[in-house]
Amino acid sequence: MIRLGLIGCGEHSESGHAIPLARYKAAHPDEVTLAAVCDLHVERAFEFCGKYGFLAAYQNLDEMLTQENLDGCIAVVPPERISEVGIKLLKLGVPCVVEKPLGSSLDEVKALQSSAVAVQTWNMVSVNRRFMPFLNRAIAWTKGIGSMRYVRCSLARHKRSEPEFIWATAVHAVDTLRYIAGDVLSVDSRILTADAAVKWYSIDLQFENGISGRIDVFPTAGMVEETYELFGEGFRASVTCPFGLQLGWRGFRDGCVVAEETAHGEPEDILNGCYDEAAAFIQALNAKSPPKPSIPDVVPSVTLCIAIADRK
């Protein structure tokens, strides 16, 4: 069985990783062992053992990596430690999942990327939108109809005034549109109402395959929602997930709704893609194949957002 470790026991680690890992373990008991968990507040690590079935708790990361024979490790640490911890795991040869935004500076992101390329240890980035079932069913639906011409994301939040929002959170929107439409050829961004206390952004994208796109980023819009839209000749798919009043997707064709799914009490980690992301990592390790998306796959999303943040 695959022996997994988890680094970090904060709120995001619990909702985004521990819960889906425990769900996968319950459904596939012979595939994975939740071997160990580590946190500076060791009482949190022991709590994860009791709630989610990890077998051992550690306070010191080096001790966990020395004592446990791990086949994979998921690191959920603050941005300023992502690169450092990721590089440690890569150099030790431990296949790993690291969080976006891959670092707190462009230098840290580049160092992590360079290490991943140099040592060739299998790695994956936690960008759960790529694994959202509603989004992937909408993409599959559009592929059965015709070619996309335009993609769009509206990302709204409430009272998110942190200056790093554009590269630490809005990177989800950029990465998801890259997942849908491919590599970006050019970018044109502007700040909406530049004298406002919190920056809102409008980002126009041109993709290498000719698809155009747009992302509207509203950190202080008084509500929380993400909507992804895929347009082609005679059709449109609209996906609201992982945040919004009614999660789901609709397919429009020739003036009519011809496909529709809405959420009806499904667990959050399934709707937001975290479960399928955890499953993809475990199944890749079991199949002895590199998990996706890798650090080099996601770096362009992060560097694009950092460049937007640095523009005057």
Side-chain angles (χ1 to χ4, degrees):
M1 287 195 294
I2 296 299
R3 290 175 53 83
L4 285 187
L6 177 63
I7 303 168
C9 297
E11 180 180 353
H12 178 64
S13 178
E14 184 167 23
S15 62
H17 298 281
I19 289 174
L21 286 172
R23 188 184 307 282
Y24 191 89
K25 170 66 176 176
H28 308 273
D30 297 330
E31 289 188 25
V32 61
T33 295
L34 305 183
V37 62
C38 178
D39 196 272
L40 293 174
H41 302 284
V42 72
E43 65 276 7
R44 287 283 292 162
F46 280 110
E47 182 181 338
F48 271 38
C49 290
K51 290 177 69 175
Y52 304 114
F54 290 91
L55 300 182
Y58 291 85
Q59 187 173 32
N60 183 279
L61 173 57
D62 291 331
E63 182 183 358
M64 183 181 83
L65 296 175
T66 300
Q67 294 291 330
E68 302 288 342
N69 183 25
L70 298 177
D71 300 303
C73 194
I74 299 165
V76 191
V77 297
E80 63 271 15
R81 294 208 62 206
I82 291 173
S83 182
E84 167 200 346
V85 173
I87 290 170
K88 179 189 289 286
L89 293 170
L90 292 169
K91 288 184 175 180
L92 289 173
V94 180
C96 57
V97 177
V98 297
E99 280 284 339
K100 56 81 188 167
L102 303 180
S104 60
S105 70
L106 187 57
D107 286 343
E108 291 176 4
V109 173
K110 288 181 176 179
L112 181 60
Q113 180 185 27
S114 296
S115 182
V117 172
V119 303
Q120 293 292 299
T121 299
W122 289 346
N123 59 84
M124 181 177 180
V125 180
S126 178
V127 279
N128 58 291
R129 273 63 165 178
R130 293 185 181 219
F131 295 91
M132 294 190 300
F134 286 146
L135 176 65
N136 284 313
R137 288 201 280 273
I139 292 172
W141 178 80
T142 64
K143 286 181 177 178
I145 300 174
S147 300
M148 271 185 283
R149 294 177 56 180
Y150 189 80
V151 291
R152 181 168 66 194
C153 174
S154 176
L155 187 149
R157 293 293 188 271
H158 177 52
K159 292 185 177 180
R160 294 293 298 273
S161 58
E162 65 271 24
E164 66 271 17
F165 185 88
I166 186 64
W167 55 265
T169 298
V171 65
H172 273 304
V174 172
D175 187 73
T176 305
L177 290 200
R178 286 188 59 244
Y179 169 64
I180 296 169
D183 290 331
V184 175
L185 178 65
S186 62
V187 181
D188 183 22
S189 66
R190 63 191 180 97
I191 297 171
L192 307 178
T193 317
D195 59 347
V198 177
K199 293 179 180 178
W200 292 14
Y201 294 86
S202 176
I203 305 166
D204 290 306
L205 304 165
Q206 191 66 42
F207 296 90
E208 290 183 355
N209 56 14
I211 296 174
S212 298
R214 185 184 181 94
I215 303 170
D216 292 314
V217 181
F218 309 133
T220 53
M223 50 90 74
V224 180
E225 182 178 297
E226 272 181 56
T227 296
Y228 297 91
E229 296 175 281
L230 294 65
F231 297 85
E233 194 65 39
F235 71 87
R236 171 193 173 206
S238 179
V239 184
T240 297
C241 205
F243 302 111
L245 291 177
Q246 180 60 70
L247 304 184
W249 78 277
R250 288 181 177 180
F252 302 83
R253 191 173 186 187
D254 298 326
C256 300
V257 176
V258 298
E260 183 173 14
E261 288 184 87
T262 57
H264 295 289
E266 295 90 339
E268 181 182 0
D269 62 301
I270 291 178
L271 291 173
N272 66 19
C274 290
Y275 177 80
D276 283 352
E277 178 183 89
F281 182 58
I282 295 167
Q283 290 165 5
L285 297 183
N286 268 317
K288 294 180 169 45
S289 63
K292 293 289 184 179
S294 68
I295 290 167
D297 291 335
V298 177
V299 162
S301 304
V302 177
T303 54
L304 190 156
C305 289
I306 292 174
I308 291 171
D310 288 344
R311 289 186 63 183
K312 302 301 181 183

